[in-house]
């Protein structure tokens, strides 16, 4: 097993890093962060380079690559505080895993090119990681499904031409493909602390009528569809956390090397060196865990355990890095015109994405306690 990048993957990493550095320094990014607006120009630029369709087969207009390339793109964009193609990859993975040929042909080409946005509508006021409290319903009425309910914490809900909605039917939880042009959808924009360049909405479905062929996968098997999506997309969230941790640590370490205290620099003190060494070691461990899970995905090997470990470790180190940045830089970090404030807010928001650290630990424990598990 080789969890390091190939020459082609390294070239991709360098290209994404170079673009993201330029895009991230655009003053428009600060306006979008302040006003919580989506960067359509960034999406289209990513699409022009093929990066929004990295996992989509060439027959649908994508690059036909795998999880490793996907995580590279997510990590390098996040390092420069760019919101990468996470939403698109989630939708693409769902369509590729369980979509019909008609559904794939309709949606994948435009998603792969970054021409349209997609969103996942799962969470509700009383339902997060536990789906048993989901109240949104879908009732069959002739050749239509009628959706009613409220979804919350939906990043890019209003911007998304395609929304994947988890709802209850007579047969159980079912995933639906909902076109934004469907009547009976109402949006309430929220004011989150982080991921502000991916605006967040509460989405109301009020007698929203969608075609009978809108079911993604099989009716009553929505959990299976959800898992087919999130086993991969959690690696994207882990990569975002790793990228933000890298960016934050890079800024903080650079400060310690330039800031003088008497005749010494901050980085000359052993206590500071230990913090830097510990964070770097933990970051490397998280990257290796992520790479292992991505490699297993590309080998089509079960990676439930490895993905949960990767997301957990990425969350732990990212949270520690953004907190320790204030130790490394002191009052230098305590200003809004420096990036540390945003690093903290982005990490706090991403920790919940794809399941909290506690949910990841539950997943890890569940896999380890199976009779078939061996250390």
């Amino acid at each position: 097993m080789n969890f390091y990048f190939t020459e082609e993957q390294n070239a991709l990493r360098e290209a994404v890093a170079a673009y993201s550095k330029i895009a991230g320094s655009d003053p428009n990014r600060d306006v979008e962060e302040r006003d919580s607006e989506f960067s359509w120009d960034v999406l289209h630029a990513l699409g022009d380079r093929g990066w929004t369709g990295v996992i989509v087969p060439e027959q649908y207009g994508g690059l036909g690559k795998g999880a490793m390339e996907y995580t590279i793109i997510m990590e390098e964009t996040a390092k420069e505080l760019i919101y990468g193609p996470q939403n698109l990859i989630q939708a693409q993975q769902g369509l590729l895993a369980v979509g019909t040929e008609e559904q794939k042909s309709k949606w994948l080409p435009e998603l792969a090119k970054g021409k349209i946005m997609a969103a996942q509508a799962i969470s509700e006021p009383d339902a997060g990681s536990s789906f048993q409290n989901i109240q949104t319903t879908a009732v069959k009425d002739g050749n239509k499904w009628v959706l009613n309910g409220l979804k919350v914490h939906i990043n890019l809900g209003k911007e998304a031409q395609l929304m994947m909605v988890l709802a209850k039917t007579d047969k159980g939880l079912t995933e639906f493909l909902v076109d934004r042009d469907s009547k009976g959808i109402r949006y309430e924009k929220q004011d989150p602390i982080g991921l502000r360049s991916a605006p967040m909405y509460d989405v109301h479905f009020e007698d929203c009528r969608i075609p009978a062929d809108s079911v993604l996968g099989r009716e009553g098997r929505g959990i299976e569809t959800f898992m087919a999506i999130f086993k991969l997309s959690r690696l994207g969230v882990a990569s975002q956390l790793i990228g933000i941790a890298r960016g934050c640590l890079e800024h903080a370490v650079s400060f310690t090397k330039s800031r003088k205290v008497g005749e010494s620099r901050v980085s000359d003190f052993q206590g500071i060196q230990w913090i830097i060494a510990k964070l770097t070691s933990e970051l490397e461990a998280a990257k290796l865990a992520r790479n292992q899970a991505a490699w297993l995905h590309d080998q089509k090997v079960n990676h439930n355990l490895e993905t949960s470990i990767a997301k957990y470790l990425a969350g732990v180190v990212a949270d520690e890095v953004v907190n320790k940045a204030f130790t490394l830089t002191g009052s230098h970090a305590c200003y809004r015109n420096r990036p540390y404030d945003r690093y903290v807010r982005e990490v706090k928001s991403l920790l919940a994405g794809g399941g909290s650290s506690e949910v990841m630990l539950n997943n890890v424990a569940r896999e380890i306690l199976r009779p078939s598990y061996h250390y």
Side-chain angles (χ1 to χ4, degrees):
M1 295 183 291
N2 183 1
F3 309 139
Y4 292 94
F5 299 146
T6 65
E7 184 176 340
E8 183 180 5
Q9 289 165 346
N10 268 318
L12 173 65
R13 181 184 61 78
E14 291 172 4
V16 179
Y19 165 74
S20 299
K21 193 168 188 64
I22 294 171
S25 62
D26 188 328
N28 287 327
R29 303 293 86 85
D30 294 331
V31 175
E32 291 157 353
E33 153 71 9
R34 183 195 67 203
D35 297 340
S36 191
E37 296 177 350
F38 182 59
S39 309
W40 283 106
D41 62 317
V42 171
L43 177 70
H44 295 152
L46 294 173
D48 290 342
R49 292 162 172 79
W51 299 336
T52 53
V54 62
I55 70 165
V56 175
E58 293 180 9
Q59 71 185 90
Y60 300 110
L63 294 181
K65 302 299 182 182
M68 198 70 83
E69 288 80 7
Y70 158 50
T71 60
I72 288 170
I73 293 168
M74 294 308 304
E75 179 181 337
E76 295 302 330
T77 51
K79 181 175 181 289
E80 303 300 332
L81 296 173
I82 296 293
Y83 191 81
Q86 177 71 356
N87 285 47
L88 296 175
I89 303 298
Q90 288 180 340
Q92 293 161 7
Q93 175 65 9
L95 288 162
L96 290 170
V98 297
T100 65
E101 184 55 41
E102 291 75 14
Q103 290 169 341
K104 294 175 186 177
S105 298
K106 177 179 179 180
W107 293 109
L108 283 177
E110 293 297 285
L111 291 170
K113 295 173 186 174
K115 300 296 184 183
I116 61 174
M117 181 46 67
Q120 280 278 341
I122 305 295
S123 298
E124 297 186 3
D126 296 316
S129 297
S130 177
F131 297 146
Q132 63 186 11
N133 293 328
I134 283 180
Q135 299 299 311
T136 298
T137 60
V139 177
K140 197 72 175 291
D141 182 19
N143 64 347
K144 299 284 186 178
W145 288 97
V146 182
L147 287 173
N148 281 285
L150 168 63
K151 296 294 183 178
V152 298
H153 316 312
I154 312 304
N155 287 108
L156 297 168
K158 190 173 184 179
E159 289 75 12
Q161 185 67 40
L162 170 65
M163 197 179 310
M164 293 181 169
V165 181
L166 195 62
K168 289 194 304 185
T169 71
D170 290 341
K171 295 183 179 180
L173 288 175
T174 304
E175 190 102 24
F176 291 90
L177 300 174
V178 181
D179 192 309
R180 182 179 60 195
D181 296 334
S182 304
K183 294 182 179 179
I185 306 176
R186 181 166 58 87
Y187 306 92
E188 285 185 81
K189 190 174 183 180
Q190 300 302 307
D191 190 24
I193 63 168
L195 299 181
R196 293 181 58 79
S197 56
M200 182 177 288
Y201 300 86
D202 289 354
V203 183
H204 299 258
F205 297 95
E206 299 164 341
D207 292 329
C208 176
R209 301 176 70 84
I210 58 176
D213 61 1
S214 299
V215 173
L216 179 62
R218 290 186 291 172
E219 184 183 352
R221 308 301 286 270
I223 301 301
E224 291 180 6
T225 304
F226 171 86
M227 291 307 301
I229 296 169
F230 274 81
K231 278 193 291 187
L232 176 63
S233 72
R234 277 175 177 155
L235 292 178
V237 179
S239 300
Q240 288 174 291
L241 287 162
I242 289 169
I244 291 170
R246 283 178 54 213
C248 183
L249 190 57
E250 184 178 287
H251 272 94
V253 170
S254 178
F255 175 85
T256 68
K257 291 161 67 176
S258 63
R259 176 76 174 205
K260 296 200 71 175
V261 180
E263 296 301 314
S264 301
R265 301 186 187 278
V266 172
S267 59
D268 292 334
F269 294 94
Q270 188 178 63
I272 296 296
Q273 292 174 358
W274 282 1
I275 292 173
I276 294 170
K278 182 174 182 291
L279 294 175
T280 301
S281 299
E282 292 173 353
L283 185 54
E284 287 300 309
K287 287 163 62 177
L288 283 171
R290 187 274 315 276
N291 288 356
Q292 179 189 25
W295 183 86
L296 289 170
H297 178 91
D298 289 342
Q299 302 304 310
K300 296 180 171 54
V301 175
N302 185 294
H303 53 93
N304 292 343
L305 173 64
E306 290 79 8
T307 293
S308 295
I309 289 174
K311 170 62 165 55
Y312 170 73
L313 291 178
V316 168
V317 69
D319 201 30
E320 188 171 9
V321 165
V322 298
N323 288 324
K324 287 296 185 182
F326 290 83
T327 302
L328 295 174
T329 63
S331 60
H332 171 79
C334 298
Y335 294 87
R336 294 294 298 274
N337 65 344
R338 289 166 186 150
Y340 303 100
D341 161 70
R342 186 170 174 191
Y343 286 136
V344 171
R345 293 186 287 106
E346 299 289 280
V347 166
K348 296 301 183 184
S349 297
L350 284 168
L351 283 173
S356 67
S357 295
E358 291 73 23
V359 170
M360 293 304 101
L361 288 176
N362 287 341
N363 293 346
V364 171
R366 187 181 306 115
E367 294 296 324
I368 291 173
L369 295 174
R370 295 183 188 279
S372 59
Y373 182 81
H374 298 286
Y375 282 97

